[in-house]
Amino acid sequence: MANDLKARDFLSIHDFTPEAIEQILDTAAMLKLRQKAGLTDQPLRGKTLGMIFQKSSTRTRISFEVAMWQLGGYALYLSANDLQLKRGETIADTARVLSRYLDGIMIRTYSHEEVVELARHAEIPVINGLTDLLHPCQAMADLMTIAEKRGRLAGLRLAYVGDGNNMAHSLMFGGAKTGMHVVVATPRSYPPDPGIVEAARSDARATGATIEVVEDPGAAVKGADVVYTDVWASMGQESQAEEKRKALQSYQVNSKLMALTKAEAIFLHCLPAHRGEEVTDEVMDGPHSAVWDQAENRLHVQKAILALVL
Ligand code: CP
Ligand code: NVA
């Protein structure tokens, strides 16, 4: 298979063509199948990924570390607190130095601009492991999970219910590139970023996708194939938690809301979940939930991204 993704950064799904997104998803499906069949693929033998974390992580850290190991490479966990970054070394200089040791960098941080700056000065691919603006690796795992469960992506209705956050943004881009109908329901006080909505709508024109932003969660999930939610207060928003809990109360995904979807609809959550807030136990543990397969697919989709860009 031709690979035009070699040496590319993976900062946002918006930066890639629909064909490139499909190539990543196809590679992920193939790697997963081969792994389940007991086959070993080690295209990254001798390669090293540095993983910079400014925020906590369970899934991202473990899945990237295991992904590198399974592909024959090595991953280094770099806590931002221990790097000289914390003592004022610039991002640009950090990028230049890391480029002399590593074959790729994965970074999880607050400001998206910092990641763009790191990528600008790094001579090696940079992968976005979550910023306040976007979470593209998660959205890729979500697309993979939807395709596995429903056999396709184009034409499906995905309803995102809750805070207009990094997940909402990356799902809009993911849906736009794959021909989905994405409906985001948020309260007026916590909408998605209008610049992201506009960019996703512009991407959608090429694939027949649609991007809608509404206020009513019931209207969003009506006839949905996929219902998605995320925490109300993201990492870094701890001081707003109480205010957001009030504003988002009627956006909880519960059995009553799920009853409005298609009978075969699936429920997704990037995790970690705050059970009893944005989602009830009944839904998390119920028959529609695909959240554990979704979490597993972080591993497979990131193996595909790493194998293609490194
Ligand atoms: N979904 C996700 O990125 O989880 P972590 O914060 O545990 O990495
Ligand atoms: N929106 C959440 C996603 C966590 C994976 C956050 O940024 O904290």
Side-chain angles (χ1 to χ4, degrees):
M1 205 190 318
N3 178 14
D4 299 329
L5 298 176
K6 200 49 87 197
R8 291 276 308 268
D9 297 315
F10 192 79
L11 305 190
S12 171
I13 292 176
H14 175 62
D15 301 335
F16 292 86
T17 60
E19 293 71 29
I21 297 304
E22 196 179 331
Q23 184 181 6
I24 295 169
L25 293 172
D26 288 349
T27 305
M30 187 262 295
L31 287 170
K32 181 172 181 177
L33 210 66
R34 288 176 58 81
Q35 188 200 43
K36 300 279 178 195
L39 299 165
T40 307
D41 292 290
Q42 300 210 313
L44 300 186
R45 246 186 309 241
K47 296 208 173 175
T48 306
L49 178 78
M51 309 189 297
I52 303 176
F53 282 92
Q54 291 264 19
K55 291 175 173 172
S56 310
S57 170
T58 296
R59 281 142 289 267
T60 304
R61 176 184 176 176
I62 298 169
S63 57
F64 265 105
E65 199 163 327
V66 171
M68 280 304 289
W69 170 258
Q70 290 186 359
L71 292 170
Y74 181 72
L76 279 111
Y77 174 78
L78 306 168
S79 161
N81 280 336
D82 301 332
L83 296 173
Q84 296 285 10
L85 258 178
K86 201 189 161 205
R87 296 180 56 250
E89 186 166 23
T90 67
I91 293 184
D93 289 349
T94 305
R96 293 180 183 112
V97 172
L98 292 185
S99 299
R100 300 295 176 104
Y101 302 130
L102 303 168
D103 299 286
I105 303 169
M106 195 285 305
I107 178 163
R108 163 169 288 195
T109 189
Y110 295 89
S111 142
H112 191 74
E113 286 66 43
E114 256 175 52
V115 177
V116 172
E117 167 90 352
L118 185 79
R120 188 178 315 128
H121 295 281
E123 287 157 31
I124 53 178
V126 172
I127 299 172
N128 178 359
L130 180 145
T131 63
D132 290 344
L133 191 69
L134 296 170
H135 196 2
C137 293
Q138 179 67 54
M140 290 300 297
D142 304 338
L143 294 175
M144 180 179 182
T145 310
I146 299 164
E148 278 178 356
K149 301 286 173 196
R150 302 302 307 273
R152 68 193 168 105
L153 293 169
L156 296 183
R157 180 180 175 93
L158 182 152
Y160 174 92
V161 177
D163 183 33
N165 65 12
N166 45 9
M167 260 341 302
H169 295 159
S170 281
L171 288 166
M172 284 193 279
F173 282 142
K177 294 288 178 180
T178 57
M180 297 180 78
H181 301 301
V182 181
V183 190
V184 171
T186 66
R188 212 172 285 182
S189 44
Y190 295 105
D193 180 308
I196 301 280
V197 176
E198 199 182 314
R201 283 193 178 138
S202 138
D203 288 348
R205 281 197 279 278
T207 63
T210 56
I211 307 293
E212 250 184 283
V213 180
V214 301
E215 256 185 86
D216 178 4
V221 305
K222 194 149 181 263
D225 299 279
V226 183
V227 176
Y228 201 114
T229 192
D230 185 13
V231 290
W232 290 339
S234 284
M235 290 181 275
Q237 300 180 337
E238 289 73 14
S239 66
Q240 299 170 49
E242 196 40 49
E243 187 187 313
K244 293 189 94 171
R245 218 186 333 265
K246 280 190 206 127
L248 282 147
Q249 223 160 34
S250 58
Y251 289 77
Q252 184 185 68
V253 178
N254 50 34
S255 302
K256 213 168 121 202
L257 199 69
M258 287 303 291
L260 303 172
T261 67
K262 283 199 182 138
E264 67 275 24
I266 60 169
F267 169 75
L268 298 179
H269 190 311
C270 58
L271 308 179
H274 287 175
R275 288 167 177 258
E277 289 191 15
E278 77 275 4
V279 61
T280 57
D281 286 337
E282 273 181 318
V283 172
M284 273 285 283
D285 304 325
H288 297 286
S289 178
V291 299
W292 315 121
D293 291 326
Q294 178 189 8
E296 176 184 334
N297 283 338
R298 290 293 300 278
L299 171 67
H300 305 297
V301 97
Q302 288 160 196
K303 280 171 79 174
I305 295 168
L306 291 164
L308 288 165
V309 307
L310 252 53

